[in-house]
Amino acid sequence: VQPGDADEVAAVVRACAEAGAPIVPQGGNTGLVGGGVPRGGEVLLSLRRLTVIEELDETAGQVTVGAGLTLEALQEHLRGSNLAFAVDHAARGAATLGGMVATNAGGVHVLRYGAMREQVAGLEAVLADGAVVRRLSGVLKDNAGYELPGLIVGSEGTLAIVTRARLRLVNRLPERVVALFGVDDTAGALELFRHLRRRVGSLEAVEIFYADGLELVCEHLRISPPFDRSHPVFVLVECAAAVNPLEELAAAADVELVRDVAAADDTARRADLWRYREGHAEAINSQGVPHKLDVSVPLSALPVFERDVRERVCALAPGARTILFGHLGDGNIHVNVLGLEPEDERVDEAVLRLAAAYGGSVSAEHGIGVAKRRWLSLTRSREEVAAMVAIKRALDPNGILNPGALLP
Amino acid sequence: VQPGDADEVAAVVRACAEAGAPIVPQGGNTGLVGGGVPRGGEVLLSLRRLTVIEELDETAGQVTVGAGLTLEALQEHLRGSNLAFAVDHAARGAATLGGMVATNAGGVHVLRYGAMREQVAGLEAVLADGAVVRRLSGVLKDNAGYELPGLIVGSEGTLAIVTRARLRLVNRLPERVVALFGVDDTAGALELFRHLRRRVGSLEAVEIFYADGLELVCEHLRISPPFDRSHPVFVLVECAAAVNPLEELAAAADVELVRDVAAADDTARRADLWRYREGHAEAINSQGVPHKLDVSVPLSALPVFERDVRERVCALAPGARTILFGHLGDGNIHVNVLGLEPEDERVDEAVLRLAAAYGGSVSAEHGIGVAKRRWLSLTRSREEVAAMVAIKRALDPNGILNPGALLP
């Protein structure tokens, strides 16, 4: 079904509740854990017709959008203004804002602005009984009871169906610099990040990748490597500010552990540098179907996690290739393993157990969905899962909202 | 009872659960809505002995603290480091961090850093059945199920008892500027804020007060007014950055609507300017016992709300005095009315209804507690309150955690 607004969504939900028919809500279908994919027999409820963009509130720096609007459509809408939306990622053309709310989408700017939860100043959502909750005035301070919007964000359609969101916008920062650093190891990358974070107020992204990934990207995209010589680890940094942050960054990055640096403040060369990082997913996919694990660990554990994960994969699957890249500043590593059988999940489990053992998460930004349900207990205690199940039963006693997703 | 750690708190909660004895959790007793005050016969559970400060994690920029630690003790602990805690308010000497988590405390820097919810990178808390949930590794991206910490923050002890918190820290910014502006009206103050927010990256606080409040403060503290002539409205701005932000602020604030300005970048004169704002509560209290209402409205509604609230109070209580001050950047106004009978709540209700009518909140930062329970439904729909009640019943089916607080 493709309802057109919250009232129509509520009517669908009421009808399904009466019939005891389970519902799978769907946005742009860009999720990576199967949360929006029907498992068999459910009513597929698409939010894509909810594409309203309400008037830009320049005083509050907020805008209210329909759940079905794509991220790219919002970016287009804001292009002429001096405001921007903080969350950005590669699936912008298809991913809907409602889906991004439901999954608490992250991306490359979490370091500076937080993930989707931090951008949500209000929500409209339909509960499992068809009741519509609406809090869209965008008031910034509101300590009147439990934080329902924050609970609905990231609940992957299991507690409510998001129909509209009031989103915070940030100042559009006109001056951008991208720099790529070559360093010796993950500890050096982390040390560089620590150093920059204390000294550079304009840090917007701090990404990491490795020599083997860079080599794949250069081969696949037929581009030259960034430096004459190679380095084991690369750190890509983006800064944005009202005045050109190049000098600030250059002064702060003048440290011994940096072996090579390339920096750009013009659009074309900035995109060239980003390509080394953004080309990873495509370059890896060109080599086969990788096992993809999206984990996070506490920052201080990153160097030892990187070492352990390579060793563990090597021990379990000697012929496999482990390509790592991700969001250094968030402790979020995308572990890609090539050369495994599709059904063989021993490596997956080992990597997720390792992340959990360091106090990390089995899902940094992709969510749990259907694919990671069996791993949830690695990263959440029995008591936490019991509390989640109790909340689910309280808000959806008949279990009609996205059954089979998120919870065991 | 005064347990010393989470396990002892859990033992107390289990004993109370078995005996069916309700519990009122208490921190520093600085709340303004009676949430930590026993109503009669409850077990008073003080968290003040939980004063641990764990090792500062400089890599993550985080620290784990016991619920009973005061804000001031944390500030003292961080004094030698280059990190600081973002939330600050006048009750720092007594307010505990656990209480601040439980009430989602706000203060003067919400504009830049958010309230307590945004500072919580992890929690340890005891649920109503004595189960302890612990998520203290401080991982920044963790999309594995419902956001329990965010739900517990601001739940005022009705869903769980906070025993430890993993707190985000921010860079200590060495260069500070405070400026006081005189403007003609609330619309001018709002326009000044809009203007500064787009141009000044270092804004840390934007406060508002009025001529009558300033006069009270000057009388009470026996200090001179800031300017030779008076102005209807005053805006106090604080900026903080790595390099002195005075020039940036001065350039941005060179607009016609500013009638007078005083600025300071040294500690003593900054404190002098802050005194005009911070002296309000004490100066008002010296005139009698005010009715205090802590409301927020959408920013664009502030000018009309200010006009309406004065008119409404005047119509209901012609002899009363209405003193307004608050956090302009958050749309958060503290409405103080002098000259009313203590029990006469007609003015309170009228002001809260007005805030709600503009889409605002009946409690911006103080919470609901016991005192504002009857007004919750002004600002939350029947559906929202029903969802809150369902969550409460799910996590505390016997209603032993802070009964009588927050929910109707």
Side-chain angles (χ1 to χ4, degrees):
Chain A
V1 283
Q2 291 205 305
D5 60 25
D7 290 337
E8 290 187 14
V9 172
V12 171
V13 171
R14 276 194 304 271
C16 288
E18 275 167 35
I23 299 167
V24 174
Q26 192 177 83
N29 232 349
T30 59
L32 293 168
V33 289
V37 181
R39 282 119 241 165
E42 298 94 345
V43 172
L44 181 59
L45 193 161
S46 168
L47 281 307
R48 286 202 218 171
R49 282 182 58 220
L50 282 71
T51 55
V52 70
I53 308 187
E54 296 180 14
E55 197 188 345
L56 189 60
D57 180 343
E58 300 221 26
T59 304
Q62 298 175 346
V63 66
T64 300
V65 299
L69 194 76
T70 64
L71 173 57
E72 193 167 73
L74 175 61
Q75 290 171 339
E76 286 298 327
H77 184 74
L78 296 174
R79 204 167 298 276
S81 82
N82 52 15
L83 294 166
F85 187 59
V87 174
D88 193 19
H89 56 71
R92 60 185 74 82
T96 61
L97 291 156
M100 288 172 62
V101 168
T103 56
N104 190 31
V108 295
H109 299 149
V110 171
L111 175 72
R112 183 164 193 168
Y113 299 110
M116 283 299 287
R117 190 172 284 115
E118 282 74 38
Q119 319 309 320
V120 171
L123 274 188
E124 177 189 72
V126 178
L127 302 181
D129 61 356
V132 180
V133 291
R134 218 172 248 127
R135 206 190 296 173
L136 292 169
S137 69
V139 126
L140 297 171
K141 276 164 121 176
D142 190 1
N143 279 345
Y146 306 150
E147 177 61 3
L148 295 180
L151 179 65
I152 292 171
V153 176
S155 66
E156 305 186 27
T158 64
L159 296 180
I161 299 173
V162 174
T163 50
R164 272 193 292 174
R166 177 96 176 162
L167 299 174
R168 286 182 200 179
L169 304 172
V170 298
N171 283 344
R172 186 179 295 283
L173 297 170
E175 300 291 335
R176 281 179 187 272
V177 169
V178 175
L180 183 65
F181 300 93
V183 297
D184 287 344
D185 52 26
T186 305
L190 187 61
E191 185 56 34
L192 176 61
F193 167 59
R194 280 183 57 161
H195 187 83
L196 295 180
R197 190 169 50 167
R198 296 279 176 268
R199 284 160 189 82
V200 183
S202 58
L203 281 186
E204 190 134 335
V206 179
E207 304 282 305
I208 189 168
F209 51 90
Y210 292 81
D212 50 0
L214 177 66
E215 204 177 306
L216 276 187
V217 169
C218 290
E219 271 173 39
H220 180 70
L221 298 179
R222 298 165 194 272
I223 56 177
S224 307
F227 305 117
D228 293 339
R229 49 185 181 161
S230 190
H231 301 281
V233 186
F234 300 88
V235 177
L236 184 138
V237 171
E238 183 165 44
C239 295
V243 293
N244 192 316
L246 186 55
E247 273 184 47
E248 182 190 22
L249 178 61
D254 185 17
V255 284
E256 212 168 308
L257 59 86
V258 170
R259 301 296 179 213
D260 247 327
V261 59
D265 59 1
D266 65 286
T267 309
R269 285 194 307 142
R270 288 199 322 255
D272 287 346
L273 291 176
W274 261 113
R275 200 162 297 140
Y276 295 118
R277 162 64 182 84
E278 288 197 324
H280 268 70
E282 197 184 312
I284 292 167
N285 289 344
S286 75
Q287 303 289 305
V289 178
H291 285 223
K292 288 170 183 277
L293 300 158
D294 162 43
V295 300
S296 62
V297 292
L299 279 176
S300 56
L302 257 185
V304 62
F305 175 77
E306 185 252 337
R307 184 201 64 197
D308 287 1
V309 85
R310 293 187 193 280
E311 283 179 12
R312 199 66 63 93
V313 176
C314 201
L316 281 168
R321 293 165 72 188
T322 308
I323 315 285
L324 304 178
F325 64 94
H327 314 293
L328 173 63
D330 309 325
N332 178 192
I333 298 295
H334 297 298
V335 178
N336 285 255
V337 186
L338 284 162
L340 300 175
E341 292 298 316
E343 293 78 26
D344 183 355
E345 290 194 321
R346 286 174 306 149
V347 164
D348 305 58
E349 174 152 345
V351 171
L352 297 179
R353 279 192 186 279
L354 200 58
Y358 285 116
S361 178
V362 300
S363 187
E365 52 183 11
H366 296 167
I368 296 295
V370 174
K372 292 205 179 170
R373 228 158 38 119
R374 52 182 286 219
W375 316 118
L376 179 64
S377 63
L378 293 180
T379 216
R380 290 288 178 266
S381 67
R382 199 164 42 83
E383 291 81 3
E384 285 173 294
V385 173
M388 290 180 199
V389 168
I391 291 169
K392 167 71 172 173
R393 285 193 187 135
L395 295 183
D396 180 18
N398 299 315
I400 67 164
L401 292 182
N402 218 3
L406 201 151
L407 289 168
Chain B
V1 283
Q2 291 205 304
D5 61 24
D7 290 338
E8 290 186 14
V9 172
V12 171
V13 172
R14 276 194 304 271
C16 289
E18 276 167 36
I23 299 167
V24 173
Q26 192 177 82
N29 233 348
T30 58
L32 293 169
V33 289
V37 180
R39 283 118 240 165
E42 299 94 344
V43 173
L44 180 60
L45 193 161
S46 168
L47 281 308
R48 286 203 218 173
R49 283 182 56 219
L50 282 70
T51 54
V52 68
I53 309 185
E54 297 179 16
E55 196 187 348
L56 188 62
D57 181 344
E58 300 220 26
T59 304
Q62 297 175 347
V63 67
T64 301
V65 299
L69 193 76
T70 64
L71 173 57
E72 194 167 70
L74 175 61
Q75 290 172 338
E76 286 298 326
H77 184 75
L78 296 173
R79 203 166 297 276
S81 81
N82 51 15
L83 293 166
F85 186 61
V87 174
D88 193 18
H89 55 71
R92 60 186 73 84
T96 62
L97 291 156
M100 288 170 62
V101 168
T103 56
N104 190 30
V108 293
H109 299 148
V110 171
L111 175 72
R112 182 164 194 169
Y113 300 110
M116 282 300 288
R117 190 173 283 114
E118 282 74 38
Q119 319 310 320
V120 171
L123 274 189
E124 177 190 72
V126 178
L127 303 181
D129 60 357
V132 181
V133 291
R134 220 173 247 126
R135 206 189 295 172
L136 292 169
S137 68
V139 125
L140 297 170
K141 277 165 120 175
D142 189 0
N143 279 345
Y146 305 150
E147 176 62 2
L148 296 180
L151 179 65
I152 292 171
V153 176
S155 66
E156 305 186 27
T158 65
L159 297 181
I161 298 172
V162 174
T163 50
R164 273 194 291 174
R166 177 98 177 159
L167 298 175
R168 286 182 200 177
L169 304 172
V170 298
N171 283 344
R172 186 179 295 282
L173 298 169
E175 300 291 337
R176 282 181 185 272
V177 170
V178 174
L180 183 66
F181 300 93
V183 297
D184 287 344
D185 52 26
T186 304
L190 186 61
E191 186 56 34
L192 177 61
F193 167 59
R194 280 183 58 162
H195 188 82
L196 295 180
R197 189 168 53 167
R198 296 280 175 267
R199 285 160 188 82
V200 183
S202 58
L203 281 187
E204 191 136 334
V206 179
E207 305 282 304
I208 190 168
F209 51 90
Y210 292 81
D212 50 1
L214 177 66
E215 204 177 307
L216 275 188
V217 169
C218 291
E219 272 174 38
H220 180 67
L221 298 179
R222 297 165 194 271
I223 55 178
S224 306
F227 305 117
D228 293 338
R229 50 185 180 162
S230 190
H231 301 283
V233 186
F234 299 87
V235 177
L236 184 137
V237 172
E238 183 164 44
C239 295
V243 293
N244 192 316
L246 186 55
E247 272 184 47
E248 182 190 23
L249 178 61
D254 185 18
V255 284
E256 210 168 310
L257 59 85
V258 169
R259 300 297 178 215
D260 246 326
V261 60
D265 58 3
D266 65 286
T267 310
R269 285 194 308 141
R270 288 200 321 256
D272 286 346
L273 291 175
W274 262 113
R275 200 161 299 142
Y276 295 119
R277 162 64 182 83
E278 289 197 324
H280 268 69
E282 196 185 311
I284 293 167
N285 289 343
S286 76
Q287 304 289 305
V289 178
H291 285 222
K292 288 170 182 278
L293 301 158
D294 162 44
V295 300
S296 62
V297 293
L299 280 176
S300 56
L302 258 184
V304 64
F305 174 77
E306 185 251 337
R307 183 202 65 198
D308 286 1
V309 86
R310 293 186 193 281
E311 283 179 14
R312 199 68 62 94
V313 176
C314 200
L316 281 168
R321 294 164 72 189
T322 308
I323 316 285
L324 305 177
F325 64 94
H327 314 294
L328 172 64
D330 309 324
N332 178 191
I333 297 294
H334 297 298
V335 178
N336 286 257
V337 186
L338 283 162
L340 300 175
E341 292 299 316
E343 293 76 27
D344 183 357
E345 290 194 320
R346 285 175 308 151
V347 164
D348 305 59
E349 173 151 347
V351 172
L352 297 179
R353 279 192 185 277
L354 200 57
Y358 285 115
S361 177
V362 299
S363 187
E365 50 183 11
H366 296 169
I368 296 296
V370 175
K372 292 204 179 171
R373 228 156 40 117
R374 52 182 286 219
W375 315 118
L376 179 64
S377 62
L378 291 181
T379 215
R380 291 289 178 264
S381 68
R382 200 164 40 83
E383 291 81 2
E384 285 173 293
V385 173
M388 291 180 199
V389 169
I391 291 169
K392 166 71 173 173
R393 286 195 186 135
L395 295 183
D396 180 18
N398 299 315
I400 67 163
L401 293 181
N402 219 3
L406 200 152
L407 290 168

